Amino acid sequence: MIDIKIKTATLLGEIQMLAYMVNTFTEHLAFCDYSGHVNGFDVRITKTKDHNDIEYRYRMDTYVPPKDWGNERQMVNRLSAMKSELQKILIENGVNAP
């Protein structure tokens, strides 16, 4: 179980870094929210930075350990999908995504 917690922590950190890069280098806004009281994590990415008309290009959420016992593979897949979407947006905008 310790390995999955470290894998989760690593993915959460990478997602946060990529969200910062999306906000800094593109015309999208990326939001990452970790709710420790329910062990939930979600990512939302807007189509534009227009605050008057927020329309989401992408939304996904998941539970993270210790809440998600028994569904670790599904949780890692969802976190990996979030990371991939952020990387895709950066690449589309000519930014080298780590």
Side-chain angles (χ1 to χ4, degrees), residues 42-77:
D42 69 90
V43 170
R44 298 174 321 279
I45 305 166
T46 64
K47 290 186 175 182
T48 69
K49 286 188 176 173
D50 182 357
H51 294 282
N52 296 319
D53 184 29
I54 293 181
E55 187 176 346
Y56 292 105
R57 168 185 172 150
Y58 178 85
R59 294 182 83 161
M60 184 180 280
D61 60 35
T62 191
Y63 289 107
V64 296
K67 177 80 172 173
D68 206 36
W69 302 122
N71 292 318
E72 290 87 2
R73 181 171 293 166
Q74 179 183 5
M75 182 265 311
V76 168
N77 288 343

Side-chain angles (χ1 to χ4, degrees), residues 1-9 65 69 72-73 75-76:
M1 186 50 63
I2 291 175
D3 289 342
I4 194 69
K5 289 180 181 180
I6 291 172
K7 175 74 172 168
T8 302
W69 302 122
E72 290 87 2
R73 181 171 293 166
M75 182 265 311
V76 168

